[in-house]
Amino acid sequence: MTFWYTHDMGGWGWFGMSVGMVLFWALIVTVLVLVVRSVDHTRERTRTPAAPTPEQILGERYARGEIDEEEYRRRLSTLRNGPPPKS
């Protein structure tokens, strides 16, 4: 009848199983968090930046010296008020 007593787990066995279970679930949670962050980070990178407005483009052209102040003011006026009336 010693068969039943030889397979009993001692205190270190229970401790080892408890630590192993905590580490197992910590690993599962860590993997899930990393997967969710990876998917969210990929979605964040795919966003396209907002297109510049026509006034911003005109301002950039003026800043680069492609157009002079008179042409800048004329085109800015046209953008804000619409084209001049045709006669």
Side-chain angles (χ1 to χ4, degrees), residues 33-80:
V33 167
L34 290 175
V35 167
V36 168
R37 287 180 68 187
S38 172
V39 169
D40 188 43
H41 188 66
T42 303
R43 187 179 324 132
E44 187 177 294
R45 271 191 274 159
T46 58
R47 292 182 185 156
T48 56
T53 64
E55 289 182 10
Q56 289 174 335
I57 294 172
L58 186 62
E60 289 173 5
R61 289 187 63 200
Y62 177 63
R64 286 192 301 259
E66 294 177 12
I67 57 176
D68 60 355
E69 184 177 356
E70 180 183 332
E71 186 174 357
Y72 170 75
R73 295 210 183 276
R74 183 176 52 82
R75 289 182 183 223
L76 186 61
S77 171
T78 301
L79 282 173
R80 290 183 177 166

Side-chain angles (χ1 to χ4, degrees), residues 7-22:
H7 294 292
D8 191 21
M9 193 176 336
W12 286 108
W14 287 106
F15 177 75
M17 277 189 3
S18 299
V19 169
M21 187 58 77
V22 168

